[in-house]
Amino acid sequence: MHFFVFKKSLFKLTIAFLTVCFSTAGQTSENRSENIADCFGAIELPLRTAISPVFTGMAGEQEDLKPWAQKLQLIERNALWFNFVAPFDGNFSFGGNTEKEPVEILVFRTTRDENCDAILSGKAELVNILFINENNRDFQLEEIKLGKEEKIFICINTSDPNKSSVHLTADFVSSDKEAAINSMMKIEDLRKDNSVPKFHLKFRDSKTGLPVNARIIISESKGFNAMYKASDMYLNKTGNLKFNLVVDAEGYFFKDLEINIRDEEQTEHTILMDPLEKGQQIELEGIRFKPQSAAFTEEAKPKLRRLRDFLAVNQSVNIEIQGHVLKYGRNSWRAIRLSSKRAREVKKYLVENGIDENRLSTVGFGNSKMKYPKPENDEQKQANRRVEIKIK
């Protein structure tokens, strides 16, 4: 009888133990919060792009910093989390400024196999703690060396409960630029005959020179009209190489252009993509005007539709439309008026075709910023009658 009771009690204890083990093992994955105030909801940091995320006004649903409480000056009250995964070996940097103080910034580094569990368990490497008070709201962390696929997690915590902003910029520079570029390249080889000379078409970031993986539509070519996804393309070079390109890449302004390579010696061509950054100045290639007029040339219409489509699918982008004219001599009132009218015509087209006018502003510079102050041919003259945009 006693043996039966003992076995029954042991069985209950075993079941209870297993229940606790299984429930504990699954607790982390089941209870992960994807709120940006929690580690598992960390915002992926864009590089070389100024961002201004807003605090949520809460500490999140998990006590992410509980294991690190003795190292903190502030309790976890109003937090934002960010992460970054190194695509190759390099150095990570991070800086910015805050609208409120005091603010505490914690920087964790984890291995490729670790994630927020390492932070919640207190096993992650705490690389840096930075405390910001009223004396200086600007901050810049020292560069952090990262191996490929190592991760950075950053928690920015403030004792102020308000939903204020923090302004941030991150960067990552490869320790081996050639290896970094090779790892980022996505090659589309369209050659049909390897015995024919190769032509290399490159898509690169206009600021960093790094490969940009773009969506590319080729038309008006001899045999390879299609849509591709690549940072680099190899083509056969047989005489004149001519086709049209429509290029889109996430985080970049679109490019539409004609490739017309007649030089037998030229073996490559680089297309520079402009990143979408506040203050970025971009020429709207192909949006030209008739002389002494705000009337578009016929070739401008497809470009206007392209700009409309770009703004329609990038709702967060606001622009300033800047008009320019061709005029010799001083920048007269008439020149400024004409350039302003050209900018307004672009805005009018966009508004009439579905773009919110609150996202658009206009300005005319007259002839004060001519690309060619002394144009030598009709092409240069036409280039002075142009529109540019500024990302706001």
Side-chain angles (χ1 to χ4, degrees), residues 19-127:
T19 301
V20 169
C21 288
F22 282 116
S23 63
T24 304
Q27 188 173 12
T28 302
S29 60
E30 291 176 1
N31 296 331
R32 288 177 178 175
S33 165
E34 295 193 2
N35 192 299
I36 59 175
D38 288 309
C39 183
F40 278 108
I43 301 166
E44 291 186 15
L45 274 171
L47 298 180
R48 294 174 290 277
T49 301
I51 61 173
S52 298
V54 178
F55 284 98
T56 62
M58 59 180 288
E61 299 175 24
Q62 295 175 316
E63 295 183 82
D64 303 283
L65 300 181
K66 188 175 182 180
W68 314 92
Q70 294 183 347
K71 298 179 180 291
L72 305 180
Q73 296 190 48
L74 302 177
I75 62 170
E76 189 177 0
R77 183 176 183 181
N78 188 4
L80 279 173
W81 279 86
F82 304 88
N83 72 354
F84 173 77
V85 182
F88 38 76
D89 296 348
N91 297 311
F92 174 82
S93 59
F94 181 79
N97 61 79
T98 69
E99 295 180 356
K100 298 291 184 180
E101 83 284 326
V103 169
E104 197 161 25
I105 303 174
L106 290 85
V107 184
F108 300 92
R109 175 168 47 197
T110 66
T111 67
R112 58 183 294 179
D113 300 319
E114 294 176 327
N115 54 26
C116 293
D117 289 330
I119 297 173
L120 271 67
S121 64
K123 297 178 181 179
E125 177 188 358
L126 181 57
V127 179

Side-chain angles (χ1 to χ4, degrees), residues 112-315:
R112 58 183 294 179
D113 300 319
E114 294 176 327
N115 54 26
C116 293
D117 289 330
I119 297 173
L120 271 67
S121 64
K123 297 178 181 179
E125 177 188 358
L126 181 57
V127 179
N128 202 345
I129 300 181
L130 186 63
F131 186 78
I132 300 170
N133 56 27
E134 67 274 9
N135 296 325
N136 187 6
R137 294 182 180 180
D138 297 328
F139 60 89
Q140 181 67 49
L141 301 180
E142 292 184 5
E143 284 191 343
I144 301 171
K145 188 175 182 179
L146 295 177
K148 183 178 180 179
E149 296 185 16
E150 283 191 323
K151 304 169 188 174
I152 286 290
F153 288 91
I154 299 173
C155 177
I156 303 180
N157 179 48
T158 177
S159 59
D160 190 318
N162 295 321
K163 296 182 179 181
S164 56
S165 297
V166 58
H167 309 289
L168 310 171
T169 304
D171 200 359
F172 185 70
V173 179
S174 169
S175 53
D176 184 345
K177 189 172 182 180
E178 184 176 352
I181 290 175
N182 290 337
S183 70
M184 297 172 69
M185 288 172 59
K186 179 176 173 56
I187 297 173
E188 186 73 50
D189 194 340
L190 302 181
R191 292 176 296 168
K192 296 180 179 179
D193 185 352
N194 290 339
S195 65
V196 175
K198 178 177 70 175
F199 187 81
H200 189 180
L201 193 61
K202 302 178 180 180
F203 301 88
R204 297 293 185 262
D205 186 298
S206 64
K207 290 195 171 183
T208 66
L210 293 175
V212 174
N213 195 5
R215 188 194 71 171
I216 304 145
I217 298 176
I218 296 180
S219 62
E220 304 298 323
S221 72
K222 295 180 179 179
F224 45 90
N225 294 334
M227 185 178 77
Y228 306 92
K229 187 80 172 178
S231 65
D232 296 75
M233 305 184 81
Y234 295 149
L235 309 169
N236 284 139
K237 179 70 182 296
T238 54
N240 186 27
L241 195 60
K242 186 177 180 180
F243 52 88
N244 293 333
L245 283 179
V246 173
V247 188
D248 291 281
E250 185 177 353
Y252 292 85
F253 196 72
F254 66 86
K255 284 272 188 178
D256 291 353
L257 63 161
E258 180 186 73
I259 299 295
N260 191 353
I261 307 296
R262 298 179 180 179
D263 185 356
E264 294 292 335
E265 302 297 322
Q266 187 175 347
T267 59
E268 65 178 44
H269 182 73
T270 300
I271 295 167
L272 298 177
M273 303 295 291
D274 297 312
L276 293 177
E277 299 176 350
K278 284 189 175 181
Q280 181 75 5
Q281 199 91 2
I282 302 166
E283 182 182 352
L284 293 177
E285 297 178 11
I287 298 185
R288 304 284 173 81
F289 299 86
K290 296 177 181 179
Q292 302 301 316
S293 170
F296 299 115
T297 62
E298 192 64 28
E299 295 79 12
K301 293 180 180 178
K303 305 295 184 180
L304 288 165
R305 287 194 293 270
R306 186 83 158 98
L307 176 61
R308 177 206 62 190
D309 294 348
F310 170 79
L311 291 170
V313 299
N314 290 275
Q315 292 289 335

Side-chain angles (χ1 to χ4, degrees), residues 376-390:
E376 297 178 355
N377 50 52
D378 288 341
E379 184 177 340
Q380 292 184 359
K381 289 178 181 179
Q382 188 63 273
N384 285 330
R385 305 181 189 104
R386 72 192 189 280
V387 166
E388 293 179 344
I389 71 167
K390 181 178 180 181

